[in-house]
Amino acid sequence: MAVTRNMTIAQASRSFAGDFIVRRNAYNTLQKLCEIGTRFPGTPGETRAQDFIEQHLAESGYTVTREAFTHLAWRRGSASLKVTDPVSEVLDCISLAGSPSTPTGGVSGKILFLGNGTPADFEKHKDEIRGRIVVVTSLAPSSECSPPRECHRRTKYGRSVKYGAIAFLFMNSQPGMLPQAGSTRQNMAGEIPAVTIPYEHGERLKRLLAKGDVEVVLETENENYEHETCNIVADLPGEVSDEIVVVGSHYDSHDNAHGAVDNGSGVALNLEIARAVREASLKFRKTIRFVFFGVEEMASVGSSFFAVHHHHELDKLHLFLNLDGIGQQGGKTFDTQGFTDLAEYVTNAGREFGYPLPATRPSFAGDSLAFVRAGVPTAAMRNQKGYSFFGHAVTSSGEDRGWGHTSADTIDKVNPHVFDESALVAYLLLFKAANTKGPIAKYRTDEEALAVLYEHGMGPVLDVMKWPTIPVKAMR
Ligand SMILES: [Zn+2]
C-alpha cells in the first residue's frame, strides 16, 4: 500500500511498519554496520562507519553533506591498578575516555567508597574527599537522582574533582567482570586520572575497606589530541523549506564496544527510515533532515557542533527526534525533555494511533541535551514498561546501562523484532510531525531554555559537569 498524506496516521504507520517487518532492513543494516567493529573517534572504525553511512544515503538517492568539526579526541594507553595495603593485589581496570596520564609511577592514596555517588553521598562525605581516590558505582537509583543526570558518571567525576579527589574509580554496578566505559568531560581533558573497574573488583575493594584503610596505586598513560571529524547530514525536501524535522542518531561507539545497541541500532533505523520514505516517494510538508552525529560518547560533542553550525535556523528546527539505544528490548515512548507542549502533542499522536505514549521523566541525556539547550523541541525514544505492540518485555531497569558501554554490546544482544516496534513508533511521530503545519511545540529563547533546565534541577549538574564547553548558542 502506498503511503499518502491523506492517510490517517494509523494507516500510514501500519503500512510503513508492515514493510519494515517483512524486509527486516534495519536489522540487516545493523549486522553490516557491526562488522566494522568499534567506531571510536579518531580510529579507522570511525572512518569506515562514516563511509558506510554516506554510501547508504547516497544509494537511497540523497545528497550527503559532511559537516566537519575539530574536537579534543583521546587515545587509550595502558592502565594499572594495584592494591598495596593491606594486601598486594592487581585489579582489572581501563581508563575512562578523557582521563589524563598519571606521572610515571602513578598516583597513590587511600580510597574512599561513596556508594552510588548520589548528590546525598557526596554531600555527606565532601570533607573527606580531598587527597583521596574516590570509588563510586555506575548505578543511578531513580529514587535518589532527580534529574537522572545528578547520578551520571560525569557528574560523579565532576563532584570528585570539585571536592579535591586525586583519582576516580568507576565501578560497574552489574556483575560479569566487565568494565563500563564512559567519558569524563566534554571537549577538555579530565583533571584527575579516572578508570573503570568491573563489579567484582569493586566488591573486593569494599570487603577490604570493611576491615580498615585500603591503599592503591593507579597508573594511566593516555593521550588527548586535536582531531577533525564530522556530522553527516541528508535532507528530504518538504513542501516548505523553513520547517524542518531532524531525525538524529550518533554513529560513534566507545573503543571497547561494537555499540550494537548504543548506537548501531539508532543508526540502522535512521538509515532505513531515510531509505523507506525515499523509495515510497513520500512527500511531507516539512523537510526531514537525517543527521548522524559524531563523538556523542565524549559528552555530545557532534550534536553541540550541529547546534553551532545551524545557529541561524534553530527556530526552524521544529522537532529533534533522537534515536539512541533504540535496539533495547521493550515497548517504546518518547522523553520530551521538559517540553510540556510537546509531551501533549506526543500523547495525542499515540492516542490517534492506538499506541499509548506516556510521558517520562526528562533525562536530558546524550545528544538531546544540546538541542534542549539550543531551544529545539526534542523527543528521544525511550523504553516504556506499560505497553508493547509486539509484547516485548522491558529487560533493563533503566538505572544502569545493561551491556551498554561494555565489550558485550554486540549484535547478539539485539532482537531483530525490536526494530519493528521502534520503527513503528518512530514513524508514527515522524509522519504526524512532518505533516503538521507550523510549530509542533514552542521554540525556546536562550533564557527560556535555561529556565526549563534549571527548573528541572539541571543547574548544579551543568555546573559540576562544566557543560557545555562548546558554545551551543555562541552566535546569539
Ligand atoms: Zn548512545
Side-chain angles (χ1 to χ4, degrees):
M1 176 167 45
V3 179
T4 70
R5 265 187 68 185
N6 295 330
M7 290 173 111
T8 66
I9 186 172
Q11 286 167 331
S13 296
R14 283 178 188 141
S15 163
F16 173 85
D19 197 37
F20 240 82
I21 294 163
V22 169
R23 300 202 297 177
R24 196 167 275 184
N25 276 348
Y27 186 75
N28 293 340
T29 296
L30 178 64
Q31 276 184 313
K32 286 181 203 145
L33 182 64
C34 286
E35 287 304 308
I36 290 172
T38 65
R39 305 180 295 273
F40 194 63
T43 66
E46 182 198 44
T47 308
R48 289 175 65 195
Q50 290 164 345
D51 294 345
F52 180 91
I53 291 163
E54 181 170 351
Q55 194 187 339
H56 192 290
L57 290 167
E59 280 169 9
S60 304
Y62 289 91
T63 303
V64 185
T65 308
R66 291 187 181 217
E67 297 182 350
F69 59 88
T70 300
H71 72 111
L72 190 68
W74 179 84
R75 200 171 285 121
R76 176 186 302 290
S78 61
S80 92
L81 178 63
K82 288 179 194 145
V83 181
T84 51
D85 191 52
V87 294
S88 177
E89 216 168 278
V90 175
L91 304 181
D92 285 3
C93 73
I94 60 171
S95 288
L96 287 174
S99 168
S101 302
T102 59
T104 311
V107 293
S108 52
K110 287 184 181 142
I111 63 168
L112 177 67
F113 181 68
L114 291 182
N116 298 322
T118 64
D121 292 326
F122 273 96
E123 186 56 35
K124 193 170 163 199
H125 296 282
K126 63 183 180 195
D127 297 332
E128 301 157 50
I129 294 172
R130 187 155 301 280
R132 305 289 283 276
I133 296 176
V134 164
V135 189
V136 294
T137 81
S138 55
L139 198 77
S142 51
S143 57
E144 295 168 64
C145 308
S146 187
R149 291 262 119 178
E150 274 284 18
C151 295
H152 187 269
R153 171 193 57 261
R154 283 193 300 276
T155 312
K156 298 173 188 182
Y157 180 80
R159 290 215 162 92
S160 301
V161 171
K162 180 177 167 186
Y163 295 124
I166 56 169
F168 180 76
L169 309 186
F170 186 63
M171 164 192 171
N172 198 339
S173 79
Q174 307 150 116
M177 278 305 286
L178 291 166
Q180 185 188 107
S183 59
T184 50
R185 293 293 193 193
Q186 186 195 51
N187 215 30
M188 61 177 270
E191 298 92 328
I192 59 173
V195 294
T196 171
I197 61 176
Y199 168 83
E200 288 76 6
H201 286 179
E203 287 293 314
R204 172 65 176 147
L205 287 174
K206 281 165 67 181
R207 285 194 298 275
L208 290 172
L209 273 173
K211 293 185 228 160
D213 284 349
V214 178
E215 284 210 38
V216 301
V217 180
L218 173 68
E219 187 163 12
T220 58
E221 200 189 336
N222 302 304
E223 190 192 344
N224 287 290
Y225 67 101
E226 296 264 303
H227 167 240
E228 187 183 300
T229 184
C230 65
N231 298 320
I232 301 171
V233 181
D235 277 3
L236 181 73
E239 288 161 10
V240 290
S241 58
D242 58 351
E243 297 185 12
I244 301 164
V245 173
V246 175
V247 189
S249 331
H250 74 85
Y251 61 81
D252 62 316
S253 73
H254 277 287
D255 64 339
N256 64 332
H258 282 192
V261 172
D262 183 11
N263 183 30
S265 62
V267 169
L269 183 57
N270 202 352
L271 285 172
E272 291 306 330
I273 290 174
R275 168 148 61 192
V277 293
R278 185 96 198 181
E279 266 184 6
S281 303
L282 297 188
K283 274 282 172 206
F284 297 93
R285 174 184 169 81
K286 295 188 201 295
T287 292
I288 302 178
R289 180 164 294 165
F290 300 97
V291 184
F292 300 83
F293 301 109
V295 204
E296 187 273 349
E297 298 294 5
M298 306 274 287
S300 322
V301 169
S303 48
S304 300
F305 277 110
F306 182 88
V308 173
H309 289 159
H310 294 267
H311 66 91
H312 57 285
E313 57 174 4
L314 289 173
D315 59 344
K316 295 184 182 126
L317 308 182
H318 285 189
L319 178 69
F320 170 47
L321 175 54
N322 189 2
L323 302 178
D324 189 357
I326 57 90
Q328 245 186 25
Q329 188 138 318
K332 302 297 171 188
T333 188
F334 296 99
D335 170 356
T336 48
Q337 313 284 336
F339 282 84
T340 47
D341 46 357
L342 181 61
E344 203 180 309
Y345 181 94
V346 167
T347 305
N348 286 336
R351 217 170 273 142
E352 219 176 297
F353 180 67
Y355 189 110
L357 296 172
T360 63
R361 282 202 308 171
S363 68
F364 306 117
D367 292 320
S368 296
L369 183 57
F371 282 82
V372 173
R373 179 65 188 82
V376 177
T378 296
M381 183 171 276
R382 300 289 298 267
N383 277 337
Q384 66 156 306
K385 292 197 175 87
Y387 180 81
S388 163
F389 190 81
F390 293 97
H392 296 140
V394 173
T395 50
S396 156
S397 73
E399 294 187 328
D400 210 331
R401 293 178 181 275
W403 304 117
H405 293 198
T406 78
S407 54
D409 182 4
T410 41
I411 183 82
D412 49 281
K413 304 303 184 303
V414 181
N415 174 341
H417 296 297
V418 168
F419 280 110
D420 306 340
E421 186 125 8
S422 301
L424 181 151
V425 174
Y427 189 70
L428 90 84
L429 185 60
L430 180 62
F431 181 85
K432 185 174 170 71
N435 285 321
T436 296
K437 192 176 174 187
I440 291 162
K442 189 181 174 299
Y443 170 74
R444 290 183 189 144
T445 64
D446 199 34
E447 289 69 29
E448 289 165 342
L450 272 177
V452 172
L453 284 167
Y454 276 69
E455 190 185 301
H456 284 89
M458 283 294 284
V461 174
L462 296 179
D463 192 44
V464 81
M465 275 189 181
K466 301 187 177 172
W467 193 100
T469 58
I470 299 156
V472 171
K473 279 204 153 178
M475 311 309 285
R476 74 194 140 99

